[in-house]
Amino acid sequence: MSIVLENLERLKEAAKLENISDEHMKVLQNPVQVSYAELSVNGKQLPAWRIIYNRALGPGKGGIRFHPEVSEDEVQSLAFWMSLKNSLADIPYGGAKGGVKFNPKESSPEEIEEISRAYARAFADKLGQDKDVPAPDVYTNGQIMAYILDEFEKIQGHHEPGMITGKPIELGGIALRGDSTAQGGYLVTKEMMKKFLIGKDSAKIAVQGYGNAGLFMAEKLAADGHLIVAASDSKGGVYNDQGLDVKALSAWKHSGNSVNDFPGGTKVSNAELLELPVNILVLAALENQITAENAERIMAPCIVELANGPINLEADRILANRKTIVVPDILANSGGVIVSYFEWAQNRTGQILDEEYLRDLLDKKMKSGWQRVVEKFEEKNGEITLRQAAYILAIKRILAAEKYRGRIK
Ligand code: NAD
């Protein structure tokens, strides 16, 4: 089943649990705007998308992914998850996502700049601080956001830093953004441990995907005394049951090495990492990592989804039967977009807010999201999953906005 169809199935399930009518759910069945372009760069034609799934709560908001496997199905699914994530986080955004299908690892910096600028030109009329606001995602970063901003502003003829987030600080970005996804994930993981892993002062944790989200998350958990026993990237992983030296591992990764070659442990494949005997499995790479094929073999009693969509629908059902606790992506990785919202708000008002205040606000928003999800979960006597609880809350806020707008009765 495509990821889009799986998402619709998940929506249906959540709606049924809360007796939301099919008529109301119709507004969430399809994206509101699908834009496609072929970017001509150095004689190549690169497929590119920008999709807004829903905008009842505000402008589109979501990252841009550069990856050789990007497809419309994937971008639409990511835009769908962004809609629910932004709704659950109580921020004034709809959900959107973008992507370009090419391999940035095989492209020169000049070519990546040209592709970023071509992306901005292709979608300039669709983007803007009140229309749709991109951000970084897999294999995109602040520099790429800067190229897109620069090209967009050239076309518009005025400054508009709020059209994109995750920018360098000099262009209106904020310091907090760098590790905000991991910080948010770390805060909900701590809440999850208090509730579901009582007495575990030193949990064993495996992290799949040692990139922006996974690396900072591992560092924060290790600083609290937890053991990061395994980590991986696209080339494979490393395992040490006594705990990896996380500082050394991060330095190794920052120097351009793969964690797979890190000398402080034994090599494991990404598939093996998922099945290790750990207390918490952090998924911070890509979609569809746990499926019906491996779900029965997952030994971790708790999983945190820092990546978007790392567990497919069938696997979700298997894990639910086994009472595995899954902190869903739309909650666990929402720290990034919450801080993006702070950046956007600053850009729009011209005010510069105190960093401590914003850190505190992120903390409060993450904890409030966790509490609301747990309350819904408990209201249903723990017979639903945390994902279903989160979906119900997110759907209801979007539908309330649709109702006020008169699109549903
Ligand atoms: P990134 O590009 O910084 O890191 C991705 C990491 O995953 C890299 O280390 C890469 O080598 C590794 N990887 C790729 N394929 C893999 C595989 N098959 N197995 C194991 N590792 C693999 O990207 P990121 O920003 O850290 O994003 C990771 C996930 O988190 C994505 O699903 C993204 O959508 C999600 N996310 C990121 C943010 C953010 O602010 N960075 C926010 C929300 C969600």
Side-chain angles (χ1 to χ4, degrees):
M1 202 190 294
S2 74
I3 323 181
V4 164
L5 290 177
E6 289 200 351
N7 284 335
L8 293 179
E9 211 36 51
R10 281 186 170 130
L11 266 188
K12 240 195 265 167
E13 264 179 23
K16 210 165 142 197
L17 287 166
E18 198 71 3
N19 295 323
I20 302 172
S21 73
D22 291 351
E23 200 50 34
H24 282 189
M25 290 306 288
K26 266 192 195 150
V27 290
L28 285 172
Q29 297 282 307
N30 292 298
V32 295
Q33 182 179 293
V34 177
S35 310
Y36 173 77
E38 281 189 4
L39 311 182
S40 295
V41 177
N42 292 343
K44 289 177 231 160
Q45 302 293 318
L46 309 177
W49 292 266
R50 187 72 197 170
I51 298 181
I52 301 182
Y53 198 89
N54 187 277
R55 55 183 159 208
L57 293 165
K61 181 85 194 85
I64 300 173
R65 178 172 294 193
F66 286 175
H67 196 277
E69 306 298 326
V70 166
S71 65
E72 185 165 324
D73 182 63
E74 181 182 54
V75 178
Q76 184 173 320
S77 301
L78 289 161
F80 165 85
W81 289 318
M82 285 308 301
S83 304
L84 298 187
K85 190 185 306 180
N86 295 336
S87 174
L88 182 67
D90 251 336
I91 48 180
Y93 288 140
K97 205 80 180 190
V100 186
K101 183 175 163 63
F102 80 106
N103 191 349
K105 288 185 179 169
E106 289 169 4
S107 310
S108 66
E110 294 73 25
E111 200 168 19
I112 290 178
E113 174 176 353
E114 200 30 59
I115 292 167
S116 309
R117 290 186 183 279
Y119 189 89
R121 286 193 294 274
F123 300 116
D125 61 329
K126 306 279 189 310
L127 303 176
Q129 62 180 12
D130 293 317
K131 289 183 180 174
D132 182 8
V133 183
D137 189 64
V138 174
Y139 300 150
T140 56
N141 55 29
Q143 174 62 76
I144 290 169
M145 300 305 107
Y147 293 141
I148 294 174
L149 173 67
D150 186 62
E151 197 64 28
F152 177 84
E153 289 184 339
K154 265 197 263 172
I155 295 166
Q156 306 298 335
H158 63 248
H159 281 293
E160 194 177 319
M163 67 78 53
I164 203 159
T165 61
K167 304 176 286 291
I169 294 170
E170 292 78 357
L171 294 180
I174 54 179
L176 230 58
R177 181 64 179 88
D179 69 349
S180 54
T181 300
Q183 178 65 16
Y186 163 74
L187 292 167
V188 286
T189 301
K190 282 208 309 187
E191 296 300 307
M192 185 272 295
M193 288 168 89
K194 271 192 247 162
K195 185 154 185 72
F196 294 106
L197 272 181
I198 298 155
K200 275 276 166 227
D201 290 336
S202 175
K204 285 190 177 180
I205 301 169
V207 180
Q208 187 202 39
Y210 213 63
N212 183 296
L215 179 148
F216 288 126
M217 175 85 158
E219 289 183 354
K220 287 170 194 293
L221 290 166
D224 269 1
H226 300 296
L227 290 183
I228 306 300
V229 295
S232 67
D233 58 26
S234 58
K235 302 217 170 75
V238 60
Y239 176 47
N240 183 340
D241 186 51
Q242 301 306 303
L244 297 162
D245 178 343
V246 169
K247 275 198 182 134
L249 181 65
S250 296
W252 178 261
K253 182 73 184 164
H254 286 310
S255 325
N257 302 298
S258 165
V259 300
N260 194 223
D261 300 322
F262 182 64
T266 50
K267 281 184 199 277
V268 282
S269 68
N270 263 302
E272 288 163 343
L273 176 139
L274 299 174
E275 298 169 21
L276 290 171
V278 292
N279 304 113
I280 303 174
L281 177 60
V282 176
L283 300 173
L286 293 169
E287 301 87 38
N288 283 335
Q289 298 303 302
I290 303 186
T291 63
E293 195 280 315
N294 59 356
E296 292 285 3
R297 297 194 299 276
I298 304 299
M299 291 170 79
C302 298
I303 301 177
V304 178
E305 293 186 322
L306 269 197
N308 289 304
I311 300 178
N312 82 357
L313 181 63
E314 274 182 288
D316 240 0
R317 290 175 178 155
I318 295 169
L319 294 172
N321 280 336
R322 303 177 68 200
K323 299 280 174 218
T324 304
I325 294 297
V326 176
V327 186
D329 47 8
I330 65 165
L331 172 64
N333 70 30
S334 60
V337 74
I338 290 173
V339 172
S340 273
Y341 163 64
F342 299 159
E343 179 179 338
W344 177 80
Q346 274 196 180
N347 294 153
R348 305 202 50 172
T349 57
Q351 265 192 316
I352 295 173
L353 298 170
D354 177 63
E355 206 176 302
E356 267 324 293
Y357 164 75
L358 293 178
R359 254 182 217 291
D360 227 47
L361 201 52
L362 172 64
D363 192 294
K364 284 199 182 101
K365 284 193 87 57
M366 292 307 304
K367 286 181 182 157
S368 135
W370 168 261
Q371 269 158 13
R372 283 181 284 123
V373 168
V374 168
E375 270 163 29
K376 180 55 78 178
F377 172 76
E378 288 180 341
E379 184 192 307
K380 305 275 182 191
N381 305 318
E383 282 161 12
I384 63 171
T385 62
L386 292 177
R387 188 189 316 283
Q388 286 167 330
Y391 270 45
I392 289 171
L393 296 172
I395 292 168
K396 285 178 98 169
R397 181 165 174 248
I398 298 174
L399 292 182
E402 294 282 15
K403 203 165 175 183
Y404 279 121
R405 287 175 186 281
R407 293 205 195 103
I408 53 177
K409 295 288 163 236

